């Protein structure tokens, strides 16, 4: 009897282990590239206040609890069957999926001219909160803006970083406000009759010309022509309801269906922000807007305030470990205690992070480590970031061309030296990011299946080869087809040393499973190692019988 | 049908299953791609999950805008009754989904949302997975998760009050309010809490106040009030003219009162602590001037000091101080039952404790030359933990009794050399220190409380305060500092020293050694607190927690 049970268990285990393909199966339908999270929310969700210190405590607590919960890294949930993030109120695919001209990159999300084309401005209030000085104003058309400045003796530092990141994040697919570098003279500013000064406690008083001059004096002084440089950020349309929570959902927004820490569009920001040296990540640097769109209302989610990116935070505080560790980082603290300071921490290998160029923060590429980026505060979505999120983010980062990076930097109106340095550094960091994260999964992408007579042709790109991170001849791709139940169909192929970054297999025919469902597992093998495989799930269209890709599973 | 009549429809999602033979594991046998939606007139089923009342005109518009797939998505397999609904009898969600643009067609245009979003799946369904669970492998962790559940609860319990405090801190802008309470005049003035806890001396708590720029020329006043266990009290005030008279010379004044209700006395010399003599030894007391036997005793002391002086800024980092102090001291025994400690005079001969019987009243005139160029080498290093530099001090003070009962007539002298060596990047620092102190007069002319002393939180850590005293005292420090975080610096120290009766008595035997680890808490600019534990080579342990924010 015992032997029978043992044999049964063995048999069951061997049956489980018999197929190398996963148990995941996809619906036979075209891949969804857009989700509907714009259902009418007729009442504005409540405003979510941001409390910085409570946020810090909760972040640290959440990190410890999360570690003890052994939650691991569950896969992201806001993805389509290809592992891509479909268009939503959070994210809109742009670069690489449609033509984005250099002019569009330079211009950003706003089609109109910058605010300094509509002078004079009417100052309505001083900015509340934040360390940097600022003003609220209306341009000659009546459009509302917030005006921020560079800190004294640092022309271009804050405003430039904000513009570069805003342009690149928009290009990558995120919602950002319309920001522009603007110049103006003191005489272009007029004080509104009801202009007021507000403090943190909500107390207000009438704003005077002296208040205005005092605010201007807190920023970088005007140039020789008497022109101030500032950053004009246009008011977002709709009603602001606070930033989005770093974990969980907004429970009064029925469209917010996926925990934020399980959104690839947020988890992937870890890789994107690492590239951009943007460490000041917190709820306060996001903003949800309840907007009216035709006859419906929904919440649209924005990223804000990038003035501390590109190493500005590190330089202005100054903290050389920005991006390397959290401000309260138990792992680094413990390591320092137990090694009595003998351990040389990663940032300490940088001889001098300062480039010495006016307008440039501590932003370098030599010791930039895309694998070990840390935000200033614990940010739960980033603790869940896995190699699949990293692959997605690196993939869209790599789609940005050097010319597009140059155009984004050009929008910030830096001096020539800063422009050249930042463009070069961003490109170098982009390549480091791509090289690391694309190699963490099978770097195969852009799968296409085409009918070719009676059979089908399956083609894909090796991104590591495409971007020159790996020589063409270094990889062999083994492919085996399975039916829906995970049994081999008999189709096998090996693409040998290839001559380009695109690889095609011929002779694929639908399996005998329902809808001709089949799984083609492709396992790349380099000269030194077997890399994780990728499963391409195919099914025949019901109307034509032609195979279509219904899903991808990356190992 | 007349206008205004209500018609009921029921919408039911018909779910596809491979089989329905088992009660559990329904999800594993589902085939969602085969699901259909049935809509029939009249209400069916006893417990509809949702009921909608929709105007016919609205229903017609939903139909025109192809909103049914969205309705289907919301239905999520629930049966729904709706009134006044005009729609297609059956809507197949899969057919609707196939109306989406193909992947390669989706982004050929500008970044503009089209009406096709109405036909798109809700965010949770975009993945299209109908079988399998990508996260299923984590299930094996249930056992360690269960074990770790208790620590998780503990973390939550600890964090709850912190979170509450942080909430109040933010919600009511406590930092600004605290700043308004503790700091005034743009931060030039402050009132700050103080605390000091140390082995053998209990705790002292109080406040410090200062104003660094009273009238705009860096005129400075400061005060310190401390109350403690063991009935200790300290009140002191200082004032400086700053740059009012000259940028080079400042007039200084100070006054203080210190009541120590449990001042310690271990005899005079470098001996190990001995047991208290047994009662059968009778009334014989020890002459501390002749016998170095060390017994842990205590007495009460009251000290008043009034000081006036000049401070010269000779050069950058170099300053000269001149002062005259009038000091009044009186000593008494502990009252019976007041403390379990041993009265000093019950062990040591009262008349050999110079000044004990009649108190002391003396003038102290001195000068001090200091050079200090301690500095940090990088702006991210706290000013409270400098990286490199020298600190040199030379001091001499003549004390003369101003009452016939005070026999004081001696000179106290001190030399102190400190060196910070930057080992690595300004935050791995070696701190070396050598201190020498002595008095010139004979022991009969030097009150026992004015003898150079070792022990306590600064001079020879590891030993209790006032553990050693004699005519000469020296100690050295080797301390290694290393960074832990933005607000904490760790250190390891090794102190050694001893007292001598005279220069001819100097020898390297019975050297006293203490050492241990410590932590300094600080901001970028200022010291906040220090904590350390020191272990001495005679087995004693000394702990000190000193909270004195913004002190140097």
């Amino acid at each position: 009897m015992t032997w029978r049970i043992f044999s049964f268990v063995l048999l069951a285990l061997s049956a489980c282990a018999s197929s190398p393909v996963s148990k995941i199966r996809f619906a036979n339908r075209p891949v969804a590239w857009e989700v509907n999270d714009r259902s009418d929310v007729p009442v504005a969700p409540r405003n979510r206040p941001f409390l910085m210190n409570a946020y810090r405590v909760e972040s640290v607590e959440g990190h410890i609890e999360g570690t003890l919960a052994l939650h691991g890294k569950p896969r992201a949930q806001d993805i389509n069957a290809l592992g891509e993030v479909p268009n939503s109120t959070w994210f809109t695919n742009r670069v690489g999926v449609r033509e984005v001209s250099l002019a569009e990159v330079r211009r950003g999300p706003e089609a109109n001219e910058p605010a300094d084309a509509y002078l004079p401005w009417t100052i309505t209030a001083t900015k509340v909160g934040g360390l940097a000085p600022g003003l609220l104003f209306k341009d000659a058309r009546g459009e509302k803006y917030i005006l921020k400045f560079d800190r004294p003796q640092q022309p271009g530092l804050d405003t430039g970083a904000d513009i570069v990141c805003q342009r690149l994040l928009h290009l990558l697919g995120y919602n950002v406000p319309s920001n522009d570098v603007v110049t103006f003279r003191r005489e272009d500013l007029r004080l509104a009759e009801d202009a007021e000064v507000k403090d943190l406690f909500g107390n207000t008083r009438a704003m005077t010309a002296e208040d205005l001059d005092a605010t201007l004096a807190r920023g970088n002084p005007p140039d020789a022509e008497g022109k101030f440089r500032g950053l004009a950020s246009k008011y977002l349309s709709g009603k602001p309801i606070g930033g989005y929570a770093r974990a969980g959902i907004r429970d009064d927004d029925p469209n917010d269906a996926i925990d934020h820490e399980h959104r690839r569009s947020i988890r992937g920001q870890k890789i994107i922000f690492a590239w951009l040296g943007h460490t000041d990540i917190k709820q306060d640097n996001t903003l949800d807007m309840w907007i009216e769109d035709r006859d419906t209302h929904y919440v649209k989610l924005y990223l804000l305030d990038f003035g501390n990116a590109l190493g500005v935070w590190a330089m202005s505080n100054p903290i050389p470990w920005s991006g390397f560790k959290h401000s309260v980082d138990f792992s680094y603290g413990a390591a320092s205690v137990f090694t009595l300071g003998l351990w040389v921490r990663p940032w300490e290998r940088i001889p001098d992070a300062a480039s010495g160029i006016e307008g440039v923060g501590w932003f370098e590429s030599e010791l930039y480590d895309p694998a070990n980026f840390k935000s200033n505060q614990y940010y739960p979505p980033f603790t869940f970031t896995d190699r699949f999120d990293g692959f997605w983010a690196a993939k869209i980062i790599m789609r940005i061309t050097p010319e597009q990076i140059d155009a984004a930097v050009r929008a910030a109106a830096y001096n020539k030296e800063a422009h050249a340095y930042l463009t070069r550094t961003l490109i170098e960091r982009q390549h480091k990011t791509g090289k690391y994260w694309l190699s963490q999964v099978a770097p195969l992408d852009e799968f296409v299946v085409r009918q070719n007579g009676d059979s089908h042709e399956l083609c894909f790109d090796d991104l590591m080869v495409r971007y020159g991170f790996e020589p063409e001849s270094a990889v062999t791709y083994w492919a085996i087809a399975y039916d829906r139940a995970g049994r081999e169909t008999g189709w096998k192929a090996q693409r040998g040393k290839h001559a380009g970054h695109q690889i095609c297999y011929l002779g694929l025919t639908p399996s005998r499973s329902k809808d001709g469902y089949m799984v083609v597992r492709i396992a790349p093998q380099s000269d030194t190692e077997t890399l994780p495989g990728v499963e391409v799930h195919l099914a025949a269209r019901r109307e034509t019988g032609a195979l279509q890709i219904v899903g991808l599973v990356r190992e | 049908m007349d206008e205004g009549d209500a018609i009921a429809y029921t919408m039911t999602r018909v779910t596809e299953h491979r089989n329905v033979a088992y009660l559990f594991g329904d999800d594993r046998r589902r085939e969602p791609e085969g699901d259909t939606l049935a809509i029939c007139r009249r209400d069916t089923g006893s417990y509809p999950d949702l009921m909608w009342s929709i105007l016919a005109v609205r229903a017609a518009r939903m139909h025109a805008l192809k909103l049914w797939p969205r309705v289907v998505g919301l239905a999520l397999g629930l049966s729904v009754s709706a009134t006044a609904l005009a729609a297609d009898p059956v809507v197949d969600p899969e057919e609707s989904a196939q109306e989406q643009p193909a992947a390669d067609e989706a982004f050929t245009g500008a970044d503009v949302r089209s009406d096709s979003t109405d036909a798109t799946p809700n965010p949770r369904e975009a993945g299209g997975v109908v079988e399998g669970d990508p996260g299923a492998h984590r299930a094996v962790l249930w056992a360690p998760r269960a074990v770790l559940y208790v620590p998780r609860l503990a973390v939550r319990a600890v964090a709850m009050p912190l979170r509450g405090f942080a909430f109040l801190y933010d919600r009511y802008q406590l930092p600004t309010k605290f700043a308004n309470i503790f700091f005034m005049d743009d931060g030039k003035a402050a009132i700050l809490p103080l605390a000091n806890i140390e082995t053998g001396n209990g705790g002292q708590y109080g406040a410090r106040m200062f104003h660094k720029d009273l009238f705009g020329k860096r005129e400075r006043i400061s005060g310190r009030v401390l109350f403690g266990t063991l009935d200790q009290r300290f009140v002191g005030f200082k004032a400086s003219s700053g740059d009012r008279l000259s940028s080079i010379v400042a007039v200084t004044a100070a006054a203080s009162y210190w009541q120590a209700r449990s001042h310690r006395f271990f005899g005079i010399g470098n001996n190990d602590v001995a047991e208290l003599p047994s009662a059968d030894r009778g009334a014989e007391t020890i002459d501390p001037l002749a016998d170095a036997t060390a017994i842990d005793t205590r007495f009460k002391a009251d000290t008043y000091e009034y000081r006036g002086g000049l401070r010269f800024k000779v050069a950058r980092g170099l300053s000269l101080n001149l002062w005259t102090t009038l000091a009044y001291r009186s000593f008494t025994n502990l009252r019976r039952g007041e403390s379990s400690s041993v009265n000093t005079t019950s062990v040591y001969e009262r008349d050999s404790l110079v000044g004990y019987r009649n108190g002391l009243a003396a003038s102290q005139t001195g000068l001090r030359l200091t050079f200090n160029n301690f500095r940090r080498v990088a702006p991210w290093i706290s000013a409270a933990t400098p990286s490199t530099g020298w600190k040199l001090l030379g001091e001499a003070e003549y004390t003369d009794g101003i009452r016939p009962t005070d026999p004081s007539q001696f000179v106290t002298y001190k030399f102190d050399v400190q060196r910070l060596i930057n080992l690595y990047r300004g935050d791995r620092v070696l701190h070396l220190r050598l201190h020498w102190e002595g008095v010139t007069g004979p022991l009969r002319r030097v009150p026992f409380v004015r003898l150079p002393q070792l022990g306590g939180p600064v001079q020879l850590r590891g030993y209790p305060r006032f553990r050693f005293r004699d005519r000469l005292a020296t100690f050295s420090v080797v301390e290694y500092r290393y960074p832990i975080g933005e607000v904490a610096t760790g250190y390891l120290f090794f102190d050694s020293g001893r007292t001598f009766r005279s220069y001819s008595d100097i020898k390297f035997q019975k050297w006293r050694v203490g050492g241990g680890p410590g932590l300094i808490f600080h901001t970028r600019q200022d010291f906040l607190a220090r904590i350390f534990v020191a272990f001495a080579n005679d087995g004693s342990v000394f702990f000190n927690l000193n909270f004195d924010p913004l002190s140097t």
Side-chain angles (χ1 to χ4, degrees):
Chain A
M1 185 64 182
T2 309
W3 274 108
R4 275 189 186 177
I5 294 171
F6 183 66
S7 305
F8 177 77
V9 170
L10 269 184
L11 191 65
L13 288 174
S14 62
C16 292
S18 61
S19 177
V21 294
S22 67
K23 305 285 183 199
I24 294 170
R25 298 293 179 266
F26 295 91
N28 181 13
R29 66 183 192 202
V31 173
W33 280 94
E34 191 147 355
V35 293
N36 182 11
D37 56 356
R38 291 183 170 90
S39 296
D40 191 25
V41 183
V43 179
R46 66 184 178 278
N47 189 29
R48 188 195 299 275
F50 175 70
L51 302 171
M52 185 64 204
N53 290 291
Y55 183 85
R56 284 178 172 151
V57 172
E58 284 175 17
S59 293
V60 173
E61 179 203 355
H63 181 75
I64 298 171
E65 261 209 83
T67 305
L68 294 174
L70 303 177
H71 54 53
K73 293 187 175 179
R75 299 269 180 114
Q77 295 167 9
D78 63 333
I79 54 176
N80 65 16
L82 300 181
E84 303 286 344
V85 176
N87 293 353
S88 67
T89 52
W90 294 77
F91 186 84
T92 305
N93 288 278
R94 296 190 182 100
V95 66
V97 296
R98 69 170 174 83
E99 195 67 40
V100 183
S101 70
L102 298 183
E104 186 182 341
V105 176
R106 273 199 300 275
R107 206 50 223 101
E110 175 65 46
N112 292 319
E113 290 294 302
D116 52 4
Y118 304 97
L119 295 167
W121 297 340
T122 306
I123 305 299
T124 56
T126 53
K127 171 175 159 269
V128 182
L131 297 175
L135 296 164
L136 310 186
F137 74 90
K138 288 181 186 172
D139 69 7
R141 299 168 301 167
E143 294 282 357
K144 287 183 185 175
Y145 291 85
I146 184 164
L147 179 64
K148 300 185 209 172
F149 303 99
D150 292 309
R151 62 201 73 204
Q153 313 310 323
Q154 296 288 349
L157 186 74
D158 306 77
T159 55
D162 192 295
I163 293 296
V164 173
C165 292
Q166 180 253 9
R167 297 294 197 269
L168 290 173
L169 287 167
H170 179 254
L171 180 59
L172 287 167
Y174 291 95
N175 301 321
V176 293
S178 169
N179 296 351
D180 282 297
V181 169
V182 290
T183 55
F184 60 95
R185 296 174 197 277
R186 171 65 181 85
E187 51 268 31
D188 295 326
L189 308 183
R190 294 170 187 177
L191 214 53
E193 283 182 8
D194 56 350
E196 54 187 22
V197 176
K198 287 182 186 171
D199 67 15
L200 283 171
F201 300 102
N203 305 315
T204 60
R205 62 175 173 79
M207 186 176 176
T208 64
E210 288 73 35
D211 292 322
L212 174 57
D213 291 331
T215 306
L216 291 173
R218 286 176 60 203
N220 195 53
D223 62 14
E225 296 175 16
K227 282 189 168 180
F228 290 91
R229 175 187 163 119
L231 175 92
S233 183
K234 194 175 175 183
Y235 268 42
L236 295 166
S237 60
K239 180 183 177 186
I241 51 172
Y244 57 77
R246 59 194 182 279
I249 58 171
R250 186 185 276 279
D251 52 16
D252 48 1
D253 175 11
N255 292 315
D256 193 8
I258 296 171
D259 288 336
H260 300 167
E261 69 272 30
H262 297 316
R263 284 187 173 273
R264 179 156 291 170
S265 53
I266 300 181
R267 286 158 49 155
Q269 286 172 2
K270 182 176 179 180
I271 286 79
I272 293 165
F273 290 162
W275 172 46
L276 298 174
H278 182 33
T279 57
D280 186 21
I281 300 154
K282 56 193 179 195
Q283 181 185 313
D284 203 26
N285 283 347
T286 66
L287 185 61
D288 299 356
M289 299 297 295
W290 180 69
I291 58 176
E292 186 172 352
D293 183 3
R294 284 169 271 191
D295 62 343
T296 189
H297 307 80
Y298 54 87
V299 177
K300 192 171 178 181
L301 305 103
Y302 289 85
L303 299 177
L304 302 178
D305 281 352
F306 319 110
N308 282 317
L310 303 184
V312 172
W313 179 271
M315 179 179 172
S316 55
N317 278 292
I319 43 172
W321 51 84
S322 178
F324 289 94
K325 76 174 191 76
H326 305 300
S327 58
V328 178
D329 198 315
F330 298 117
S331 56
Y332 274 80
S336 293
V337 167
F338 289 116
T339 61
L340 303 177
L342 299 177
W343 172 49
V344 176
R345 297 167 296 177
W347 62 87
E348 293 177 328
R349 299 193 189 98
I350 305 174
D352 188 359
S355 65
I357 300 170
E358 185 182 272
V360 177
W362 288 356
F363 192 61
E364 59 81 49
S365 59
E366 191 181 336
L367 284 171
Y368 162 60
D369 182 0
N372 292 308
F373 170 79
K374 288 188 175 180
S375 52
N376 293 338
Q377 309 298 328
Y378 284 111
Y379 194 60
F382 292 178
T383 63
F384 287 96
T385 300
D386 59 21
R387 56 202 175 93
F388 308 103
D389 304 317
F391 178 77
W392 169 80
K395 192 169 62 179
I396 58 171
I397 288 171
M398 289 308 299
R399 287 175 187 160
I400 302 177
T401 64
E403 293 76 21
Q404 287 173 323
I405 291 175
D406 180 77
V409 177
R410 194 168 298 281
Y414 283 111
N415 63 59
K416 274 187 182 174
E417 198 182 3
H419 178 109
Y421 177 85
L422 285 173
T423 305
R424 187 179 69 245
T425 306
L426 278 166
I427 292 170
E428 288 167 357
R429 288 170 72 107
Q430 178 195 32
H431 283 222
K432 271 193 157 183
T433 305
K435 189 171 184 179
Y436 176 78
W437 285 107
L438 294 182
S439 66
Q440 300 305 301
V441 298
L444 314 182
D445 201 54
E446 300 189 10
F447 290 89
V448 179
V449 63
R450 288 186 279 262
Q451 194 157 16
N452 193 355
D454 291 340
S455 65
H456 292 78
E457 178 184 39
L458 175 66
C459 298
F460 57 90
D461 259 26
D462 186 327
L463 300 183
M464 289 292 281
V465 176
R466 176 198 279 187
Y467 295 117
F469 301 142
E470 209 158 56
E472 293 176 11
S473 56
V475 191
T476 306
Y477 307 91
W478 297 88
I480 302 174
Y482 302 85
D483 65 10
R484 188 183 181 105
R487 295 181 294 259
E488 286 191 29
T489 64
W491 183 92
K492 289 183 183 179
Q494 180 206 341
R495 176 66 167 71
K497 310 286 185 184
H498 54 87
H501 55 75
Q502 191 177 58
I503 297 97
C504 290
Y505 295 122
L506 302 174
L508 270 176
T509 52
S511 76
R512 292 181 180 177
S513 304
K514 182 186 175 189
D515 292 340
Y517 199 100
M518 64 189 300
V519 181
V520 178
R521 182 176 183 275
I522 304 167
Q525 189 173 17
S526 75
D527 291 342
T528 52
E529 59 177 336
T530 300
L531 303 169
V534 58
E535 295 172 10
V536 186
H537 291 240
L538 303 134
R541 286 176 194 259
R542 288 175 186 167
E543 323 82 73
T544 63
L547 283 174
Q548 64 176 342
I549 295 170
V550 294
L552 285 181
V553 176
R554 296 185 185 276
E555 295 170 358
Chain B
M1 181 176 69
D2 296 331
E3 189 176 347
D5 283 356
I7 304 172
Y9 287 89
T10 299
M11 184 162 62
T12 307
R13 182 173 175 179
V14 182
T15 53
E16 180 87 359
H17 287 73
R18 278 198 297 281
N19 65 65
V20 289
Y22 302 98
L23 190 60
F24 301 109
D26 189 62
D27 288 347
R28 291 198 294 275
R29 295 184 299 282
R30 288 271 288 106
E31 292 190 337
E33 69 272 30
D35 289 0
T36 58
L37 189 77
I39 296 178
C40 60
R41 199 163 171 169
R42 299 180 188 283
D43 50 335
T44 62
S46 303
Y47 301 101
D49 292 283
L50 290 169
M51 294 183 77
W52 289 325
S53 177
I54 304 173
L55 290 174
V57 61
R58 171 75 176 164
R61 195 165 62 181
M62 287 171 71
H63 181 57
L65 293 174
K66 299 178 182 173
L67 285 177
W68 284 115
R70 183 189 293 184
V71 175
V72 171
L74 283 170
L76 291 173
L78 312 175
S79 61
V80 179
S81 295
T83 57
L85 198 64
D88 292 341
V90 174
V91 180
D92 185 337
E94 194 162 314
E95 284 176 17
S96 303
Q98 285 173 358
E99 290 172 17
Q100 300 168 72
D104 53 350
E105 298 165 358
F107 303 105
T108 53
D111 179 24
V112 177
R113 183 173 65 89
S114 69
D115 279 343
S116 66
T117 53
D118 293 333
T120 53
N122 83 34
R124 284 202 159 276
E125 293 174 341
V129 174
V130 292
E131 279 181 33
D133 177 7
H137 63 288
R138 308 302 305 179
V140 296
L141 293 173
W142 70 268
R145 277 183 187 143
V147 171
L148 291 171
Y149 187 71
V150 174
R152 281 178 64 194
L153 284 182
V155 169
R156 203 171 295 177
V158 170
M160 198 178 293
L162 287 175
R163 212 181 321 137
F165 176 74
F167 173 80
L168 295 174
Y169 190 80
D170 290 330
R171 176 69 183 79
Y172 298 102
Q173 294 292 332
L174 294 186
T176 310
K177 288 186 177 164
F178 282 157
N180 289 341
I181 292 169
F182 292 118
F183 292 89
M184 290 139 278
D185 209 3
D186 289 340
K188 292 174 187 168
I191 300 174
L192 300 165
L194 301 174
N196 186 71
I197 299 168
E198 65 181 53
T199 305
N201 206 27
Q204 291 175 291
Y205 313 94
R208 184 163 67 89
M209 58 74 66
F210 64 81
H211 198 301
K212 295 189 284 189
D213 194 14
L214 208 53
F215 304 113
K217 290 271 190 179
R218 298 189 185 183
E219 300 91 346
R220 185 183 175 103
I221 57 166
S222 64
R224 183 180 286 257
V225 179
L226 280 169
F227 296 93
T229 54
L230 305 178
D231 207 12
Q232 300 172 86
R233 291 180 193 118
F234 177 87
V235 181
F237 297 97
K238 287 182 188 173
S240 164
S241 66
D243 296 338
R244 172 60 56 183
L245 304 177
S246 155
S247 60
I248 297 172
V249 185
V251 176
T252 60
S256 66
Y257 167 62
W258 179 31
Q259 184 183 58
R261 285 301 186 223
S262 209
H263 205 112
R264 295 178 93 173
F265 183 73
F266 290 84
I268 301 173
N270 188 50
N271 275 14
D272 293 334
V273 174
E275 291 292 319
L276 187 67
S278 57
D280 57 9
R281 194 170 163 181
E284 271 186 51
T285 51
I286 300 167
D287 177 0
L289 304 182
D291 183 347
T293 300
I295 294 171
D296 186 2
T297 67
R298 293 182 187 244
F299 62 95
K300 293 181 185 179
D302 290 272
T303 305
Y304 298 85
E305 286 188 346
Y306 309 97
R307 174 180 291 199
L310 295 171
R311 183 172 189 270
F312 298 88
K313 292 179 198 168
V314 180
R316 187 180 172 84
L318 183 65
S319 63
L320 175 68
N321 283 47
L322 302 174
W323 69 86
T324 293
T325 304
L326 291 177
Y328 300 90
R329 296 178 173 87
S330 59
F331 309 100
T332 51
N333 292 337
L334 303 178
R335 263 178 267 155
R336 185 172 295 177
E338 192 174 44
S339 166
S340 59
S341 303
V342 177
N343 251 317
T344 299
T345 53
S346 66
V347 175
Y348 292 101
E349 204 173 301
R350 183 187 302 237
D351 290 334
S352 294
L353 297 169
V354 176
Y356 194 99
R357 184 177 292 278
N358 299 312
L360 298 165
S363 68
Q364 298 167 204
T365 303
L367 64 88
R368 180 191 303 133
L369 191 64
T370 52
F371 173 75
N372 182 356
N373 75 344
F374 276 7
R375 60 196 183 276
R376 51 184 169 175
V377 297
W380 55 84
I381 292 169
S382 172
T385 55
S387 314
T388 186
W390 290 89
K391 191 186 269 188
L392 309 172
L393 179 147
E395 180 182 313
E397 184 183 62
Y398 174 67
T399 302
D400 191 13
I402 56 174
R403 278 206 302 238
T405 51
D406 186 342
S408 300
Q409 198 167 34
F410 61 92
V411 172
T412 309
Y413 56 90
K414 285 180 193 170
F415 301 102
D416 194 272
V417 180
Q418 295 186 63
R419 173 79 171 115
L420 294 180
I421 300 171
N422 176 14
L423 298 177
Y424 187 67
R425 290 184 70 91
D427 52 13
R428 277 74 152 190
V429 175
L430 189 64
H431 180 197
L432 304 176
R433 182 177 186 187
L434 184 63
H435 181 93
W436 185 272
E437 193 174 341
V439 291
T440 55
L443 280 179
R444 289 277 174 200
R445 284 282 191 181
V446 183
F448 70 106
V449 290
R450 299 295 313 284
L451 288 168
Q453 295 152 3
L454 293 180
V458 178
Q459 308 201 136
L460 192 60
R461 290 165 286 187
Y463 293 90
R465 205 181 272 262
F466 311 123
R467 169 63 183 84
F468 304 104
R469 60 180 92 203
D470 213 326
R471 291 183 65 247
L472 299 172
T474 184
F475 71 91
S476 65
V477 172
V478 179
E479 184 173 296
Y480 165 66
R481 286 207 308 254
Y482 59 95
I484 291 177
E486 275 183 88
V487 295
T489 295
Y491 61 100
L492 296 172
F493 59 90
F494 177 82
D495 293 1
S496 62
R498 66 159 292 178
T499 55
F500 305 103
R501 183 60 48 90
S502 66
Y503 281 93
S504 59
D505 191 35
I506 293 174
K507 54 194 172 190
F508 287 94
Q509 291 168 345
K510 295 189 78 174
W511 209 256
R512 302 292 173 175
V513 174
L519 283 172
I520 301 169
F521 297 96
H522 48 73
T523 64
R524 184 69 62 83
Q525 295 299 331
D526 298 297
F527 172 87
L528 292 178
R530 174 182 280 110
I531 185 169
F532 73 83
V533 59
F535 304 91
N537 63 346
D538 71 350
S540 65
V541 178
F542 186 83
F543 167 81
N544 178 232
L545 166 63
N546 179 245
F547 176 72
D548 192 354
L550 273 60
S551 64
T552 50

